[in-house]
Amino acid sequence: MPTAPGNKLEIKNVFKTFVTEGSFGSNRETVALEDVNFHIREGEFVTLIGPSGSGKSTLLMIIAGLFDKTSGDVLLDGKQVVEPGIDRGVVFQDFALFPWLTVEDNIRFGLRKRGLSRAEADATIAELLELVSLTGFGKHRPHELSGGMKQRVAIARAFAGDPELLLMDEPFGALDAQTRSSLQREFQEIWQRTGKTVLFVTHSVREAVYLSDRVIVLSSRPGRVASEVTIDLPRPRAVFDPEFAEVERQVAMELAAASGSGSDISAFSD
Ligand SMILES: Nc1ncnc2c1ncn2[C@@H]1O[C@H](COP(=O)(O)OP(=O)(O)O)[C@@H](O)[C@H]1O
Ligand SMILES: [Mg+2]
């Protein structure tokens, strides 16, 4: 299937229905995604935002190859995604680190399919630790790290496979406000240095506007693309600039409309 030039990821007519077994053999169907269409260009930072239950995590899991879609196409570099692969690096909200492994061995796990020698792997791990400002912490175990540091390890591990696409599902959602904003800033720098294509999920309008080239708003279940906002503000962005506030307001309005609650501005709160 042809891919438009410059498109890293194409989502075409994607539907997802979950069938759950109820009591007495009755099955319940939940339509989580309904005819979702969008694309992400090479090197672009795109954020999905939408009310709880709008299918954001489901869509990321499908792109990661961890869930089957019901129908439609998910094309990465023009090829159908059918299973997980090292061309996609994944970061979730709950730090999915192996607690029994050191920081370096957690990152090494992300390198395992690249066929590097031990020395090459060690050099790459050192680079990745540097990338996420954790030089010197390689021998630590996750329980010795703060939440923010754990999430930086998760980011390093996601980069370890040198992925074509990073998939991040509310990666900073469990962090306190201050750690969250420093990780947003650091991650923005990492993104600018590495030029990776990113699909990010958040329910924070401010985070979406701070980080993204483009924000895609999903509607309440079933999830559909309700609208799209291009963020043209220069980087690094200052959240207290009037121009930032104006774009933030615009995205919050789109989100409120997509949530079917015109007066709901709770999205401003974080
Ligand atoms: N494994 C599953 N089985 C059944 N229903 C699911 C499953 N995962 C998600 N859903 C349902 O699909 C919808 C979308 O969920 P989700 O993708 O988690 O939304 P979001 O991440 O936007 O909050 C919800 O109604 C949820 O209950
Ligand atoms: Mg979710």
Side-chain angles (χ1 to χ4, degrees), residues 52-58 93 169-170 201 203:
S52 179
S54 58
K56 304 179 294 295
S57 295
T58 300
Q93 175 174 338
D169 193 352
E170 305 199 30
V201 166
H203 58 257

Side-chain angles (χ1 to χ4, degrees), residues 11-28:
I11 306 295
K12 293 183 179 173
N13 312 111
V14 168
F15 288 73
K16 174 68 179 179
T17 302
F18 288 105
V19 182
T20 38
E21 245 175 74
S23 43
F24 312 111
S26 63
N27 284 340
R28 222 168 47 107

Side-chain angles (χ1 to χ4, degrees), residues 94-190:
D94 41 31
F95 335 100
L97 302 178
F98 301 115
W100 61 90
L101 294 181
T102 61
V103 165
E104 354 178 283
D105 287 339
N106 266 285
I107 299 173
R108 197 182 304 281
F109 182 81
L111 286 171
R112 71 199 182 285
K113 291 197 180 135
R114 282 178 61 187
L116 304 178
S117 71
R118 181 81 190 188
E120 287 168 333
D122 286 343
T124 306
I125 290 166
E127 275 170 30
L128 290 164
L129 285 174
E130 206 267 321
L131 183 72
V132 298
S133 309
L134 282 179
T135 301
F137 288 92
K139 303 291 184 206
H140 286 62
R141 282 177 207 277
H143 74 268
E144 300 173 293
L145 306 178
S146 68
M149 291 164 87
K150 286 182 203 169
Q151 214 49 335
R152 287 195 253 146
V153 178
I155 291 168
R157 191 179 57 188
F159 273 90
D162 194 20
E164 294 298 324
L165 175 67
L166 276 173
L167 297 168
M168 306 180 77
D169 193 352
E170 305 199 30
F172 309 139
L175 305 173
D176 64 83
Q178 217 170 342
T179 307
R180 184 173 188 155
S181 49
S182 44
L183 268 178
Q184 288 166 352
R185 183 169 28 79
E186 279 181 50
F187 183 65
Q188 168 142 275
E189 285 166 17
I190 291 172

Side-chain angles (χ1 to χ4, degrees), residues 26-254:
S26 63
N27 284 340
R28 222 168 47 107
E29 293 198 349
T30 306
V31 182
L33 298 171
E34 190 176 76
D35 200 14
V36 173
N37 290 278
F38 65 91
H39 64 272
I40 304 182
R41 289 183 289 277
E42 172 100 51
E44 200 179 13
F45 196 126
V46 172
T47 294
L48 286 174
I49 197 164
S52 179
S54 58
K56 304 179 294 295
S57 295
T58 300
L59 188 54
L60 250 67
M61 294 291 271
I62 290 171
I63 299 166
L66 295 164
F67 279 3
D68 288 330
K69 55 196 173 331
T70 303
S71 61
D73 295 303
V74 174
L75 304 171
L76 179 63
D77 287 324
K79 292 189 294 282
Q80 285 283 355
V81 163
V82 288
E83 58 183 9
I86 57 165
D87 51 359
R88 282 146 290 148
V90 181
V91 183
F92 296 121
Q93 175 174 338
D94 41 31
F95 335 100
L97 302 178
F98 301 115
W100 61 90
L101 294 181
T102 61
V103 165
E104 354 178 283
D105 287 339
N106 266 285
I107 299 173
R108 197 182 304 281
F109 182 81
L111 286 171
R112 71 199 182 285
K113 291 197 180 135
R114 282 178 61 187
L116 304 178
S117 71
R118 181 81 190 188
E120 287 168 333
D122 286 343
T124 306
I125 290 166
E127 275 170 30
L128 290 164
L129 285 174
E130 206 267 321
L131 183 72
V132 298
S133 309
L134 282 179
T135 301
F137 288 92
K139 303 291 184 206
H140 286 62
R141 282 177 207 277
H143 74 268
E144 300 173 293
L145 306 178
S146 68
M149 291 164 87
K150 286 182 203 169
Q151 214 49 335
R152 287 195 253 146
V153 178
I155 291 168
R157 191 179 57 188
F159 273 90
D162 194 20
E164 294 298 324
L165 175 67
L166 276 173
L167 297 168
M168 306 180 77
D169 193 352
E170 305 199 30
F172 309 139
L175 305 173
D176 64 83
Q178 217 170 342
T179 307
R180 184 173 188 155
S181 49
S182 44
L183 268 178
Q184 288 166 352
R185 183 169 28 79
E186 279 181 50
F187 183 65
Q188 168 142 275
E189 285 166 17
I190 291 172
W191 170 71
Q192 289 179 312
R193 271 167 71 182
T194 58
K196 291 288 178 198
T197 309
V198 179
L199 179 56
F200 193 97
V201 166
T202 184
H203 58 257
S204 162
V205 172
R206 180 162 295 175
E207 184 168 80
V209 173
Y210 180 73
L211 291 171
S212 320
D213 292 320
R214 198 149 53 90
V215 177
I216 293 173
V217 184
L218 293 185
S219 64
S220 296
R221 203 179 73 218
R224 301 179 60 114
V225 175
S227 63
E228 206 185 279
V229 180
T230 299
I231 317 286
D232 276 329
L233 304 169
R235 291 183 169 93
R237 296 171 179 162
V239 297
F240 299 114
D241 269 359
E243 284 174 334
F244 187 101
E246 176 49 35
V247 179
E248 194 179 3
R249 196 186 68 89
Q250 189 192 345
V251 174
M253 301 280 280
E254 295 291 349

